[in-house]
Amino acid sequence: MKKRIFITIISITSLALLFFNICISGFLTYLLSDNVKNEVRRETIELKSMLETGYNIKDIPLTNPRITLVSSTGQVLFDNQHSDLENHINRPEIQAALENGAGESLRESDTINQNMYYYALRLDDGNILRVAMVTSSFIGILGPVFLISIVILLFIIFICLFVARYQANAIVKPINELNLAHPNAEKIYPELVPLVNNLNLHNEMRKEFSANVSHELKTPLTSISGYAEIMANGIAKEEDIRIFANKIYNESHNLINKINDIIKISKLDENKIDLEIETANYDQLITSCIEKLDKFIFDKNIKVIYHHVNIYGQCIVYVMEDILYNLIQNAIKYNKKNGTVFITLSEDKNNVLIKIKDTGIGISKTELPRIYERFYRVDKSHNTAIEGSGLGLSIVKHGVGLHHGSIECDSDLGIQTTFYLKFPKQLIKR
Ligand code: ADP
């Protein structure tokens, strides 16, 4: 964190300084060259009137600015800084002065290799008087400004070492000192409120989960212990012993199923599951689920209508088996006697599509949004005869999420329930 704050401050400062350098250098270049231009023009006009009133150029005691007198053919008649100069007829300011009486040019001097501003005026005798002065270029100004910025940057880096440490401590300390069980107890800064709210929610959910688990396990255990007690006390009639033993067997079976579901959902919560992706034949997955549910199908005399079709897709096989098993099992469990279950497997370009429809008891529109909640069982009293933990559809939903798929449910109370599943054929680990 310290390093991050340090790098952020330095990066922002460097960028700001760079921007400042460019702006200030541009501004100074404009300001200084404007001064030079005015100065040179003023000087040229003054010299022109001196020369035209009879002064000899050689008698004017100026070494700066540079003064050049050029004939109308470009021959250099006089230059106060250089001798033996070539013909100047091609210089733009001379050309302009010959044509219009005045001319100017801003360029690097061929003679002295410096950025110069030239101003030329045609004299009454046809000669051209040119005055020139060195003017600062953008790069020439940027150099020194840049040096100053480096000094400032070094100073900021030094200050930053302390600021970063202080800021990092100020951010991290309240997080390290957070009491995870009672996050509200600590003093926090506003940005931590979402984290604390999440922790509170998580704690609430954990408490609720534990309470639900205890309740769900207590019910079959109470039955088991009740029947066992009657048998142990010798109160049970000989002919009832078999019935009670059967009830104990069923309840313990129910208990094992619930414990398995609780273990599954806990593992999914903690991401403690093996996410090995394989290419599976969905037809085989569905067929094997139907076979496993054979006894339930037989007991309720359910007709399962499924047309085999070979469709392949990538999935986490044992999670997909769980999804299909839970949904087909529900379609049988919550079906009416002699009802029907329709299973349709199909595909589009990128997805595997599965539809599981039953002609069972259905779910009311008000209950529908809650069916994926943990331990939620529609109309508990109605359902006590049907074994279940209320965790099946939460496991399904979680599994669908692991496959980046979607699940939708449509139901009409007392008529039908249909689940629509969609899974991408290519499953990429995220
Ligand atoms: P359970 O273990 O109780 O079956 P689920 O999480 O699988 O738990 O389902 C939650 C509730 O949704 C069930 O208790 C049941 O009331 C309702 N439900 C699920 N599937 C169906 C279905 N096919 N038809 C009618 N109700 C269903």
Side-chain angles (χ1 to χ4, degrees):
M1 177 60 86
K2 216 185 302 172
K3 204 168 152 192
R4 210 165 149 172
I5 294 176
F6 182 76
I7 291 172
T8 311
I9 299 179
I10 296 300
S11 313
I12 292 173
T13 313
S14 307
L15 272 176
L17 280 174
L18 187 70
F19 183 68
F20 171 77
N21 277 350
I22 293 170
C23 290
I24 205 79
S25 303
F27 180 65
L28 283 178
T29 312
Y30 169 77
L31 211 66
L32 291 177
S33 70
D34 212 45
N35 272 348
V36 167
K37 280 181 188 172
N38 290 338
E39 170 84 12
V40 168
R41 280 186 200 146
R42 195 182 46 74
E43 200 90 39
T44 318
I45 292 165
E46 261 175 35
L47 276 170
K48 179 177 183 282
S49 64
M50 282 171 83
L51 293 177
E52 284 172 351
T53 48
Y55 269 88
N56 187 331
I57 196 161
K58 289 176 187 150
D59 299 336
I60 299 170
L62 273 174
T63 49
N64 191 37
R66 183 181 167 196
I67 300 163
T68 316
L69 190 64
V70 180
S71 75
S72 56
T73 57
Q75 190 195 348
V76 178
L77 303 171
F78 172 80
D79 190 296
N80 66 338
Q81 290 182 359
H82 302 278
S83 52
D84 298 333
L85 290 171
E86 54 172 27
N87 191 298
H88 272 33
I89 195 73
N90 288 330
R91 302 293 196 269
E93 67 282 4
I94 304 283
Q95 289 266 325
L98 280 170
E99 276 169 34
N100 313 318
E104 64 176 352
S105 169
L106 185 68
R107 63 191 150 81
E108 198 172 287
S109 156
D110 293 344
T111 323
I112 59 170
N113 291 332
Q114 266 185 309
N115 221 38
M116 302 282 285
Y117 174 68
Y118 297 90
Y119 189 65
L121 285 177
R122 193 174 58 215
L123 302 181
D124 289 344
D125 58 8
N127 288 339
I128 305 293
L129 170 68
R130 187 186 74 172
V131 175
M133 241 185 180
V134 174
T135 168
S136 311
S137 68
F138 178 74
I139 300 292
I141 290 177
L142 190 66
V145 176
F146 205 75
L147 269 179
I148 297 170
S149 298
I150 297 231
V151 174
I152 296 175
L153 192 65
L154 286 175
F155 178 68
I156 289 174
I157 289 177
F158 179 71
I159 302 265
C160 215
L161 287 171
F162 296 99
V163 173
R165 182 178 304 166
Y166 175 78
Q167 283 298 336
N169 281 346
I171 292 171
V172 168
K173 204 169 164 237
I175 300 174
N176 285 340
E177 287 176 356
L178 208 62
N179 181 339
L180 294 180
H182 305 284
N184 283 340
E186 305 303 326
K187 263 197 168 171
I188 50 160
Y189 46 87
E191 285 78 3
L192 279 187
V193 169
L195 172 73
V196 167
N197 287 346
N198 267 343
L199 280 172
N200 277 332
L201 190 73
H202 189 76
N203 287 343
E204 278 307 309
M205 278 168 65
R206 238 189 28 214
K207 274 187 216 155
E208 201 180 315
F209 186 73
S210 310
N212 275 321
V213 167
S214 317
H215 175 79
E216 286 297 323
L217 300 187
K218 220 172 130 191
T219 317
L221 268 177
T222 313
S223 291
I224 292 172
S225 122
Y227 291 124
E229 193 182 3
I230 297 172
M231 286 161 72
N233 288 345
I235 311 170
K237 292 187 211 142
E238 188 67 33
E239 64 266 30
D240 287 340
I241 294 219
R242 215 182 151 82
I243 299 169
F244 290 167
N246 221 2
K247 290 202 169 173
I248 290 176
Y249 171 77
N250 286 340
E251 285 297 351
S252 38
H253 192 73
N254 183 9
L255 194 62
I256 290 168
N257 282 343
K258 284 185 179 183
I259 290 172
N260 280 339
D261 277 356
I262 290 164
I263 292 172
K264 259 183 224 162
I265 199 97
S266 304
K267 279 188 179 167
L268 283 168
D269 270 353
E270 290 165 24
N271 283 334
K272 272 191 187 160
I273 52 164
D274 182 9
L275 296 177
E276 199 191 327
I277 296 170
E278 290 169 55
T279 299
N281 181 343
Y282 274 84
D283 174 56
Q284 278 174 11
L285 295 181
I286 292 172
T287 310
S288 116
C289 279
I290 298 172
E291 277 166 14
K292 279 186 212 157
L293 288 161
D294 220 24
K295 186 178 169 319
F296 293 92
I297 295 169
F298 179 79
D299 287 349
K300 266 185 127 169
N301 193 29
I302 301 287
K303 196 163 155 197
V304 177
I305 299 182
Y306 168 61
H307 299 293
H308 294 273
V309 41
N310 274 328
I311 290 175
Y312 292 85
Q314 288 183 332
C315 64
I316 307 155
V317 171
Y318 73 100
V319 178
M320 187 56 73
E321 277 171 350
D322 250 1
I323 295 173
L324 296 171
Y325 184 88
N326 267 309
L327 290 174
I328 300 173
Q329 189 191 36
N330 278 355
I332 298 163
K333 257 187 350 185
Y334 301 107
N335 215 321
K336 294 166 191 157
K337 235 180 154 36
N338 309 320
T340 312
V341 173
F342 301 90
I343 304 171
T344 320
L345 173 63
S346 61
E347 64 186 326
D348 62 19
K349 192 163 161 260
N350 301 315
N351 303 291
V352 176
L353 309 165
I354 302 166
K355 188 171 129 185
I356 300 167
K357 178 179 173 170
D358 65 66
T359 54
I361 57 172
I363 308 161
S364 73
K365 298 283 175 234
T366 48
E367 308 262 21
L368 209 51
R370 302 198 56 190
I371 55 172
Y372 302 103
E373 284 175 25
R374 287 166 185 206
F375 298 107
Y376 189 78
R377 305 199 74 204
V378 174
D379 189 359
K380 284 190 190 235
S381 54
H382 211 252
N383 263 341
T384 40
I386 306 171
E387 211 180 85
S389 64
L391 284 174
L393 287 182
S394 348
I395 294 171
V396 167
K397 182 101 180 178
H398 220 120
V400 170
L402 282 177
H403 285 86
H404 313 297
S406 67
I407 178 165
E408 272 166 44
C409 178
D410 165 64
S411 186
D412 299 294
L413 197 60
I415 302 173
Q416 64 91 29
T417 302
T418 313
F419 282 92
Y420 298 90
L421 295 162
K422 186 168 167 179
F423 300 108
K425 287 181 186 170
Q426 296 276 337
L427 182 55
I428 299 153
K429 252 189 203 177
R430 288 182 211 171

